[in-house]
Amino acid sequence: MKKPPRPPGAAVTAAEVGRRAGVSQSAVSRAFSPGKSISSKTRQKVLAAADELGYRPNLIARSLMTRRSNIVGLAVAPLENPFYAALVKELAQGLRPSGRHLLLFPAASQTEPDPQIEEVLSYHVDALILASTTLSSTLANRCRSLGVPVLLINRASPLEGVSTITGENHRGGETIARFLLAGGHRRIAYIAGLEHTSTSRDREAGLVEGLRQGGVELFARAVGDYSVERAVAAARALLDAPERPDAIFVANDYMALPVIQLIRGEYGLRVPEDISLVGFDGIPEAGYSGSGLTTYSQPVAGFVAGALSVLDSLIENTGALGSGVQVEGQLIVRSSARLPQTGLIECDGTQTWIG
Amino acid sequence: MKKPPRPPGAAVTAAEVGRRAGVSQSAVSRAFSPGKSISSKTRQKVLAAADELGYRPNLIARSLMTRRSNIVGLAVAPLENPFYAALVKELAQGLRPSGRHLLLFPAASQTEPDPQIEEVLSYHVDALILASTTLSSTLANRCRSLGVPVLLINRASPLEGVSTITGENHRGGETIARFLLAGGHRRIAYIAGLEHTSTSRDREAGLVEGLRQGGVELFARAVGDYSVERAVAAARALLDAPERPDAIFVANDYMALPVIQLIRGEYGLRVPEDISLVGFDGIPEAGYSGSGLTTYSQPVAGFVAGALSVLDSLIENTGALGSGVQVEGQLIVRSSARLPQTGLIECDGTQTWIG
DNA sequence: CTGAAAGCGCTTACAG
DNA sequence: CTGAAAGCGCTTACAG
């Protein structure tokens, strides 16, 4: 005759396991915390009892004492962009060894982190990652006073004490400029992302700088706001102008892909014979078609590796706050832009350009 | 002369707020729990003090008492598929009003939910959502005994007590069969997703059934495993055969898009003149190009709406466990498949077919 | 309406 | 190595 068990849906508790194993509740706790002093005999008993009862330590209760939730908050707005989808996936997977998990919250816009982040902060996350989102100084202060480290991915920040991981936005833009120039283009246009973002601004600045070095000015620009609809509209504006660009650098692949479709389909232009297109990010989709998109890559693996290491040192309080990691990319040459005569090299099956 | 404040990085506590406001800690708690009996004067004092101190209730501590974490676990493997990326985004956004958040964990494969789910269960999530993932009966039992409701999205389950939200897999496949038949096709092939998944199996069963009604047998099949690489290989196998299909139904858009590129690019075939392609899901990308992909839709909004309502009743213990919601889709007719003579109608700017 | 007290399920000094 | 006890920051009966 067993006694009536716990109310249904209530979890087994460490005390119950202790009772079953004939040890104290503390012993149960020790059995489940690596590195605690406990005899292996006691541990065996506890583990056996736990197994029978289906016990697992309640992580919420644990985190109340340890002041470590093993939860990392993640704000990421443009999940429809495969670059970010991949980032989230890899990040979640990369976090596994550390036992940490991502608590997701949708940033309403890429501009301002909204009040919901406050909510997430009340969960006492061990760190906060903002991918493609701006950080207000208010929130930054809030995080600092709560002792929550903040990591910006793919965004620069003027705020001190905030760590960042970025790609080679400026260098990428510059490389693209030189590449297009070497390919014989002279009327080079830019389709920007969101105007206030560091990614879009830095890529444009790099482009302009590279063009300037070649004695050429930016031919035209339009704004795509990192949205497909806006990007297509921007492309239309560029193509409907009296004089067309002979090349367009689109601020990211996610916008470049539909733009290239538009140009081929609706405008019936040949790419790259009539007009060249170059993107940024190096998402897998850019390489799918036979005539793939030439793009400057931001390797997701690099971003994730950087993020994990920064996160670790931030959470363990090693290393300085406010560090900035830059992930190297490269120009992936495919067939959406006319090729220069020289400087093309093949490396690991992908073609790149060493200008 | 202030006293030395809390250790840096430690959060303000309800007791501190109470002291500051000259009320008890309980009063502070009440001030932050809607619907508790508290005079508005006391609440004012508390709120003011909380504001000065930057206090927010610690949700982790709260959930220890309330036995409600407001966290929903979400396993989703194929985030690179825009359908799931959109699903996650909309889900997270849709959860906002309820104050719940998604705790993400990467399912290693789409086959078996891995042990890491156990970890997430130790967080005492209020519910567990598995999107495009199979549920082992072991895990299902584990969840039941823990009292954690489980919701499967885009997967059927033979297990009882498990709620599901699915699209019209069978009906969609059948509709596609009739549509292709009406378009004059006779050699209709299928590129499957993962063989063990209900989505791929049901879509195929529908297709075969629809063909049978038209007196036609499935011409050929190959397996794409819901992966781009495998799908492209599958398409190659189909196209390199002595006799080619005149139409291919690809189990989802994510695979269909690269397949269509392959057919046009590498094989130099005209779509739909030489061969017709139809997909499933209705991801935005399918409509980007001028010559878009004809596909049977699974509206993300519908999935999310269904998920939210099921989740609510599950968590609030209203409604029966193990309910199954089916979200309606429709055939979105674009130009990747030859059109039937009749039955095409325009509706809300998208063309569909009423057979 | 309000406060003192118990308790949620853990971890962690503190003695043995 | 082990157990009793205190405490993490809350919520919630229980008296007033």
Side-chain angles (χ1 to χ4, degrees):
Chain A
M1 290 292 140
K2 288 207 195 107
K3 290 199 164 184
R6 272 154 299 95
V12 182
T13 199
E16 296 179 58
V17 175
R19 223 169 294 139
R20 173 89 161 214
V23 299
S24 74
Q25 189 254 35
S26 327
V28 176
S29 170
R30 291 190 185 103
F32 279 93
S33 318
K36 294 291 171 189
S37 66
I38 185 174
S39 72
S40 72
K41 206 182 87 191
T42 311
R43 171 182 282 117
Q44 298 311 317
K45 281 195 295 188
V46 171
L47 260 28
D51 217 56
E52 293 173 45
L53 264 31
Y55 170 79
R56 301 224 59 189
N58 181 331
L59 259 34
I60 293 202
R62 168 181 290 176
S63 73
L64 204 53
M65 274 309 295
T66 60
R67 309 179 150 292
R68 192 135 292 181
S69 63
N70 284 322
I71 292 179
V72 174
L74 172 66
V76 50
L79 216 52
E80 60 279 1
N81 177 346
F83 176 75
Y84 291 104
L87 192 68
V88 171
K89 178 172 183 167
E90 301 293 321
L91 217 42
Q93 238 141 24
L95 243 22
R96 290 192 59 161
S98 68
R100 290 195 261 264
H101 295 274
L102 292 173
L103 190 63
L104 216 64
F105 53 105
S109 91
Q110 292 183 67
T111 314
E112 278 299 293
D114 61 61
Q116 204 195 10
I117 295 194
E118 283 280 325
E119 270 182 48
V120 174
L121 252 24
S122 344
Y123 277 106
H124 288 212
V125 293
D126 291 345
L128 187 57
I129 301 180
L130 307 184
S132 179
T133 299
T134 311
L135 180 69
S136 72
S137 53
T138 321
L139 181 65
N141 287 331
R142 191 96 177 88
C143 289
R144 193 180 355 266
S145 79
L146 287 172
V148 176
V150 177
L151 174 59
L152 251 43
I153 299 187
N154 212 19
R155 276 293 177 278
S157 170
L159 275 33
E160 55 184 291
V162 174
S163 300
T164 62
I165 298 189
T166 51
E168 299 184 304
N169 296 309
H170 193 281
R171 189 171 186 282
E174 210 176 320
T175 303
I176 288 168
R178 293 190 290 108
F179 175 78
L180 288 172
L181 253 18
H185 306 85
R186 285 301 174 271
R187 300 191 307 282
I188 299 167
Y190 180 62
I191 293 184
L194 284 163
E195 288 282 31
H196 59 82
T197 60
S198 58
T199 43
S200 182
R201 282 197 315 245
D202 292 353
R203 287 166 199 177
E204 181 168 11
L207 178 73
V208 169
E209 168 71 15
L211 292 179
R212 197 192 55 71
Q213 283 167 17
V216 171
E217 284 196 356
L218 186 65
F219 178 71
R221 78 189 296 280
V223 182
D225 283 341
Y226 289 140
S227 121
V228 168
E229 289 68 27
R230 306 285 334 259
V232 166
R236 282 217 167 83
L238 255 24
L239 294 167
D240 292 342
E243 197 180 15
R244 276 182 187 156
D246 57 9
I248 305 178
F249 168 29
V250 188
N252 71 7
D253 293 349
Y254 176 64
M255 296 192 294
L257 257 15
V259 164
I260 208 170
Q261 304 262 39
L262 174 87
I263 291 177
R264 282 185 171 141
E266 200 171 305
Y267 283 84
L269 296 174
R270 290 166 307 160
V271 175
E273 292 82 354
D274 299 323
I275 185 169
S276 289
L277 267 290
V278 179
F280 210 102
D281 279 350
I283 62 176
E285 282 79 354
Y288 284 171
S289 64
S291 62
L293 179 65
T294 292
T295 183
Y296 198 91
S297 68
Q298 301 206 107
V300 169
F303 274 74
V304 170
L308 294 178
S309 113
V310 171
L311 223 47
D312 261 342
S313 60
L314 246 31
I315 295 180
E316 307 309 341
N317 253 317
T318 333
L321 285 155
S323 62
V325 173
Q326 188 169 69
V327 179
E328 266 182 46
Q330 62 173 332
L331 189 68
I332 300 179
V333 177
R334 287 190 279 243
S335 54
S336 68
R338 292 207 304 274
L339 304 178
Q341 305 282 23
T342 59
L344 292 169
I345 58 168
E346 184 103 9
C347 169
D348 296 336
T350 78
Q351 193 171 204
T352 186
W353 181 72
I354 53 168
Chain B
M1 291 291 138
K2 287 208 194 104
K3 290 198 165 183
R6 271 156 299 92
V12 182
T13 200
E16 297 179 58
V17 176
R19 225 168 295 140
R20 173 88 161 216
V23 300
S24 74
Q25 189 254 36
S26 328
V28 177
S29 171
R30 291 189 186 104
F32 280 93
S33 317
K36 294 291 170 188
S37 66
I38 184 174
S39 73
S40 72
K41 206 181 87 191
T42 311
R43 171 182 282 119
Q44 299 309 318
K45 282 195 293 188
V46 171
L47 260 27
D51 217 56
E52 293 173 44
L53 264 29
Y55 170 80
R56 299 223 59 187
N58 181 332
L59 259 34
I60 293 202
R62 168 181 291 175
S63 71
L64 204 53
M65 275 308 297
T66 59
R67 308 181 150 294
R68 192 136 290 182
S69 63
N70 283 324
I71 292 179
V72 174
L74 172 66
V76 50
L79 215 53
E80 61 279 1
N81 177 346
F83 175 74
Y84 291 103
L87 191 67
V88 171
K89 178 172 181 164
E90 301 293 320
L91 216 42
Q93 240 141 22
L95 244 21
R96 290 191 60 161
S98 68
R100 289 196 261 263
H101 295 275
L102 292 174
L103 190 63
L104 216 63
F105 55 103
S109 91
Q110 292 183 66
T111 315
E112 278 299 292
D114 62 61
Q116 204 194 11
I117 295 193
E118 283 280 325
E119 271 182 48
V120 175
L121 253 23
S122 347
Y123 277 106
H124 288 211
V125 294
D126 291 346
L128 187 57
I129 301 180
L130 307 183
S132 179
T133 300
T134 311
L135 180 69
S136 72
S137 53
T138 321
L139 181 66
N141 287 331
R142 191 97 176 86
C143 290
R144 189 177 0 261
S145 79
L146 286 172
V148 176
V150 177
L151 174 58
L152 251 43
I153 299 187
N154 211 21
R155 277 292 176 280
S157 169
L159 276 33
E160 55 184 291
V162 173
S163 300
T164 63
I165 297 188
T166 51
E168 298 184 305
N169 295 309
H170 192 282
R171 189 168 186 283
E174 209 177 320
T175 304
I176 288 169
R178 292 190 291 107
F179 175 77
L180 288 173
L181 253 19
H185 307 83
R186 285 302 173 270
R187 300 191 306 283
I188 299 166
Y190 180 63
I191 294 185
L194 284 162
E195 288 282 33
H196 59 82
T197 59
S198 58
T199 42
S200 182
R201 282 198 314 247
D202 292 351
R203 287 166 200 178
E204 181 168 10
L207 177 72
V208 169
E209 168 72 12
L211 292 179
R212 197 192 55 70
Q213 285 167 14
V216 171
E217 284 197 356
L218 186 63
F219 178 72
R221 77 190 297 278
V223 181
D225 282 342
Y226 290 139
S227 123
V228 169
E229 290 69 26
R230 306 284 334 262
V232 165
R236 282 215 167 84
L238 255 25
L239 294 168
D240 292 342
E243 197 180 15
R244 277 184 185 153
D246 58 9
I248 306 179
F249 167 30
V250 188
N252 71 7
D253 292 349
Y254 176 65
M255 296 191 294
L257 256 15
V259 164
I260 208 170
Q261 304 262 37
L262 174 87
I263 291 178
R264 282 183 171 143
E266 201 172 307
Y267 283 83
L269 296 174
R270 291 167 306 161
V271 176
E273 292 82 354
D274 298 323
I275 186 169
S276 289
L277 267 290
V278 180
F280 210 102
D281 277 351
I283 62 177
E285 283 78 354
Y288 282 173
S289 66
S291 61
L293 178 65
T294 293
T295 184
Y296 199 91
S297 68
Q298 301 204 108
V300 169
F303 275 74
V304 170
L308 293 178
S309 112
V310 171
L311 224 47
D312 262 341
S313 61
L314 246 31
I315 295 180
E316 307 309 343
N317 254 315
T318 333
L321 285 154
S323 61
V325 172
Q326 189 169 67
V327 179
E328 267 182 46
Q330 62 173 334
L331 189 68
I332 301 179
V333 176
R334 288 192 277 244
S335 53
S336 67
R338 292 207 304 274
L339 305 178
Q341 305 283 28
T342 58
L344 292 168
I345 58 167
E346 184 103 9
C347 171
D348 295 337
T350 78
Q351 194 171 203
T352 187
W353 182 71
I354 52 167

